[in-house]
Amino acid sequence: MKVFLLAVTILLLINRIRSTPRMLSKTLYENNTQKAIDKLKKQIDGIETMSNKEDVLKIAQYLVAVLVWLYALLIIIYYILVGNRFPSNATMLMLTAIQIVTMFIGTKMTLKEFDMVNPENMSNNIKYHRSWFLFNVVLDYVYYPITICLLLN
């Protein structure tokens, strides 16, 4: 289990390092978001010919919500496993609790802004939350190295 947690932690740290410029730069964030929206609009245009377009979009929206919550649940389970690994370390337990709470809040924010039923307004709905992103980046840069060090000992 220790090796599994260490591998997942290293992968999450690498992912955080790769995504940091996008999270802290409003221009990069908006460009990546716009590319994703354009790609989604092209896919939706393929559905235009269907008579039940609204139903397909509604099902897709529910599927995205389920997948986002499933991802959040898996990450929360990982944080719980790490927190349980170090029950006597108050700093680690506090950081784990903060990670779990921020995962819930971030997931709810993402799903609230994601309006797939009306793709024309999608660009206007997605906001850049600089302070939220900065908090998450700093939290991850503190949490993952501490976790790696504790797992190696």
Side-chain angles (χ1 to χ4, degrees), residues 7-138:
V8 171
T9 305
I10 290 171
L11 288 174
L12 288 171
L13 179 62
I14 290 170
N15 185 42
R16 172 52 70 197
I17 291 169
R18 288 179 52 216
S19 67
T20 297
R22 184 188 57 208
M23 300 300 281
L24 298 181
S25 169
K26 185 175 182 177
T27 307
L28 284 175
Y29 179 80
E30 288 174 346
N31 289 344
N32 285 343
T33 303
Q34 193 58 47
K35 286 179 188 174
I37 290 170
D38 292 342
K39 183 178 177 182
L40 182 61
K41 284 182 181 179
K42 286 180 186 176
Q43 292 173 348
I44 290 174
D45 288 341
I47 303 173
E48 290 283 336
T49 58
M50 299 178 113
S51 60
N52 57 353
K53 177 183 172 186
E54 292 286 327
D55 294 336
V56 172
L57 289 177
K58 203 57 137 166
I59 290 170
Q61 184 179 16
Y62 290 131
L63 181 62
V64 166
V66 167
L67 291 175
V68 167
W69 277 110
L70 182 63
Y71 171 76
L73 182 65
L74 289 175
I75 296 295
I76 288 170
I77 289 171
Y78 157 77
Y79 289 138
I80 290 171
L81 289 173
V82 169
N84 285 338
R85 189 97 172 128
F86 309 105
S88 61
N89 191 332
T91 305
M92 196 63 194
L93 290 176
M94 181 183 67
L95 285 172
T96 300
I98 293 170
Q99 284 282 24
I100 291 170
V101 169
T102 58
M103 192 68 192
F104 273 123
I105 294 170
T107 302
K108 289 187 85 162
M109 274 179 26
T110 300
L111 290 176
K112 183 180 175 186
E113 290 180 359
F114 189 76
D115 182 14
M116 201 164 131
V117 176
N118 192 359
E120 288 76 31
N121 290 338
M122 202 183 270
S123 301
N124 302 333
N125 291 343
I126 298 177
K127 296 174 182 64
Y128 180 72
H129 303 280
R130 180 180 297 278
S131 57
W132 178 256
F133 292 148
L134 181 63
F135 173 75
N136 276 311
V137 167
V138 170

